[in-house]
Amino acid sequence: MAHAELDRLQACLNFALDTLRKEMDNSQLPPLSQHNSVEHPLDDPTTYLPSTALFNARRLSLACLGELKNLIQPPLDKRLDEKFSAYSAASVDTLIKTSIIDYLSDLSNPSEGIPATELASTFGLDSQKLVPILRCCAANGWVRETRDSSFALNRCSRTFIKGHAGRRLNLSTPGFMSVVGAMPRWVTESDWKLSRSSAQTAFQIAFKTPLQRFSWVTQNPQALIPLADHLQVLGDTSTPSIVADYPWEQLKTPIIVDCGGGEGGLVSAILDAHPSFQAIVQDMENVVALTSSIMKERRPRDIESGTLKVEAHDLFQSQPRIGNEYSFILRHILPMYQRHDWPDEEAAAILGNVAHALGPKANHQINISMSIPNVDSTATTSAESFLLDGDGKHSDYCVPSHFGSASKLVNAYSVHMLSLMNGCERSLREWENLVKRSGLRITNVYPLRAHASVIECAIDA
């Protein structure tokens, strides 16, 4: 009996894992192991940029694993997995909030672990509640149960230690689950179900406010710093690739303007790589104060010399920086990892203001995570074509064009943007329409070693 799809996926996974292993050896990386008590370089995309072949091999491996799960797992089990995944996130949040993560990391022998009863006694908790929470984390690969009811950190959970990137993500954002819960009713039953306004979304229903999300944050400043830190980490996951994979040396303009640049992490990385550049970070008034203090601390010489400037600017107003000497970046505004997840009307207005400021030689870049329509999920594609410049002589494999499970984060963020601001991730065709509507044209698209790409635009002459 032929098991064509299963056989193709198995062959594809074997090929991807063989390539992954080879590329890790070529990069002189240590073997991967969940039993290690130290982080692996591949664990933090904000500090380590893999080779293109290694990035693609890992993405293809995850795509194959996801398709195998979809093929084999009973649909009811799959649905239950999704339904109860909220408890998985809440369980990790519990370990972070209680500082159990930090406590386990400070043990003299962190790989051995300690009994849950000892943890419960140390933190004044009920061990009967703590054990199921720890086992839920263990089932999702965050901790290890070293013996019955004793637990230790594994390699991946070290990202949640205080000061590490996973801790700064602040996934336990107050109200997040309320927005998730409100989304189905908003889409199917509410008076706003046909509205595309950024002020008529699941966010307003969950927070019981008439304010658009950004306006709400402005009026609740206690939410600003955690949100800015959260978004900065998300943006930082693509920063090394943006710096390495975009041809900055070809820019004909000497000054980079990062519109809605947040804490200035991207321009800092660009200036480190290209010290001859100058940069301006623009953001709203309440964000600029934070950005200015960060930049004065981290880059005092650039601030004093005028190489780096921080200024307040409302993106819905005319762009004050006009002419050929400026190139504009919109990373935190329109795409994934953004501060304002604007729908088409607002996005076109923002792009239009930049278009009016561009000179004929200037470039405008949008760092995005592009939505790839998966028109036919059963279409076969050569596995080698995902990794190499294959010659088409190899066997075909069944892999979705959007890489299936490897694109779950992008698609989940699209629904998140929808629920917060009536925004969404866009396909290239949708970006072309939006950009043209704003008086621009796409001149190039640069894929990144991240969940994003760079779209380069110029004036549509």
Side-chain angles (χ1 to χ4, degrees):
M1 182 180 296
H3 298 275
E5 193 168 341
L6 184 62
D7 291 344
R8 287 174 183 154
L9 284 170
Q10 182 179 0
C12 185
L13 179 60
N14 288 340
F15 175 82
L17 291 176
D18 287 344
T19 305
L20 180 72
R21 187 182 295 107
K22 181 181 72 174
E23 291 302 322
M24 287 183 64
D25 290 343
N26 291 342
S27 301
Q28 297 184 323
L29 292 173
L32 291 164
S33 173
Q34 278 287 62
H35 294 270
N36 283 350
S37 57
V38 296
E39 289 180 273
H40 192 279
L42 286 173
D43 291 341
D44 190 354
T46 69
T47 58
Y48 181 81
L49 183 63
S51 68
T52 301
L54 178 53
F55 172 82
N56 288 336
R58 180 167 58 174
R59 180 174 62 172
L60 182 57
S61 298
L62 292 171
C64 291
L65 289 170
E67 289 307 298
L68 281 167
K69 183 179 179 182
N70 290 339
L71 188 65
I72 296 170
Q73 186 179 29
L76 292 180
D77 284 1
K78 180 180 176 66
R79 176 55 180 154
L80 290 171
D81 270 354
E82 293 174 342
K83 189 74 174 178
F84 293 111
S85 63
Y87 286 106
S88 301
S91 295
V92 172
D93 288 344
T94 301
L95 300 192
I96 294 173
K97 284 183 177 180
T98 57
S99 296
I100 287 175
I101 289 282
D102 302 307
Y103 184 83
L104 290 173
S105 72
D106 290 336
L107 295 175
S108 57
N109 188 356
S111 61
E112 184 176 334
I114 59 172
T117 51
E118 182 178 334
L119 287 172
S121 176
T122 300
F123 291 95
L125 303 173
D126 181 356
S127 62
Q128 190 169 326
K129 296 182 180 71
L130 191 56
V131 169
I133 289 172
L134 285 162
R135 283 185 174 149
C136 183
C137 291
N140 285 283
W142 292 118
V143 299
R144 291 187 299 114
E145 189 166 8
T146 55
R147 53 190 181 277
D148 190 1
S149 299
S150 290
F151 298 88
L153 295 190
N154 60 18
R155 189 196 87 231
C156 291
S157 57
R158 301 192 71 80
T159 189
F160 297 125
I161 296 172
K162 190 174 182 179
H164 291 224
R167 183 69 157 260
R168 293 176 60 213
L169 275 177
N170 190 30
L171 294 178
S172 55
T173 305
F176 172 75
M177 292 308 299
S178 298
V179 175
V180 174
M183 188 271 286
R185 178 163 59 91
W186 167 59
V187 171
T188 62
E189 300 176 8
S190 76
D191 293 338
W192 299 339
K193 67 180 184 179
L194 299 181
S195 171
R196 296 188 178 179
S197 167
S198 59
Q200 295 179 334
T201 72
F203 175 84
Q204 282 76 34
I205 295 174
F207 280 75
K208 296 180 173 60
T209 177
L211 298 175
Q212 173 252 64
R213 180 204 182 203
F214 179 62
S215 299
W216 182 89
V217 172
T218 301
Q219 294 195 10
N220 293 268
Q222 75 281 0
L224 178 61
I225 292 179
L227 179 61
D229 204 29
H230 172 89
L231 291 170
Q232 187 63 52
V233 174
L234 288 175
D236 286 348
T237 61
S238 61
T239 292
S241 183
I242 294 172
V243 174
D245 295 336
Y246 181 79
W248 296 99
E249 65 281 355
Q250 297 179 17
L251 281 185
K252 299 177 181 178
T253 54
I255 304 175
I256 296 170
V257 182
D258 190 356
C259 305
E263 296 179 7
L266 177 56
V267 295
S268 288
I270 294 171
L271 290 176
D272 286 340
H274 302 278
S276 64
F277 287 5
Q278 298 177 52
I280 300 170
V281 180
Q282 294 182 338
D283 216 307
M284 298 296 289
E285 191 75 51
N286 59 337
V287 179
V288 162
L290 173 64
T291 307
S292 295
S293 64
I294 292 173
M295 290 296 99
K296 286 177 182 177
E297 178 183 346
R298 296 179 183 174
R299 310 190 71 91
R301 291 184 181 179
D302 288 340
I303 292 290
E304 291 171 6
S305 68
T307 298
L308 175 60
K309 298 177 181 179
V310 179
E311 63 184 27
H313 172 58
D314 184 343
L315 290 158
F316 289 102
Q317 303 301 317
S318 298
Q319 172 59 242
R321 302 289 178 172
I322 301 172
N324 281 327
E325 63 265 41
Y326 300 107
S327 285
F328 297 90
I329 301 173
L330 275 77
R331 175 168 71 158
H332 288 297
I333 304 303
L334 302 175
M336 184 180 182
Y337 310 148
Q338 69 296 61
R339 190 164 289 101
H340 330 309
D341 316 319
W342 300 113
D344 284 354
E345 289 297 326
E346 290 90 339
I350 293 171
L351 286 172
N353 285 332
V354 174
H356 292 148
L358 283 176
K361 297 180 181 179
N363 286 333
H364 167 50
Q365 301 147 35
I366 310 169
N367 170 223
I368 65 157
S369 57
M370 194 180 301
S371 175
I372 302 175
N374 190 29
V375 178
D376 183 3
S377 62
T378 62
T380 57
T381 308
S382 169
E384 285 81 352
S385 71
F386 286 109
L387 304 176
L388 310 166
D389 294 327
D391 56 12
K393 297 178 181 178
H394 306 285
S395 301
D396 284 342
Y397 304 95
C398 186
V399 177
S401 57
H402 62 6
F403 286 95
S405 289
S407 69
K408 285 175 68 174
L409 179 60
V410 172
N411 289 289
Y413 251 92
S414 186
V415 178
H416 186 51
M417 285 191 285
L418 179 71
S419 300
L420 291 179
M421 295 286 290
N422 244 324
C424 65
E425 297 294 355
R426 297 173 175 91
S427 67
L428 181 58
R429 178 184 58 80
E430 290 166 332
W431 274 111
E432 287 173 340
N433 291 337
L434 182 62
V435 163
K436 185 174 182 179
R437 175 179 169 186
S438 306
L440 299 166
R441 59 184 172 84
I442 294 176
T443 56
N444 217 327
V445 179
Y446 296 90
L448 301 177
R449 285 168 276 178
H451 294 290
S453 300
V454 170
I455 290 182
E456 184 182 76
C457 305
I459 293 175
D460 189 14

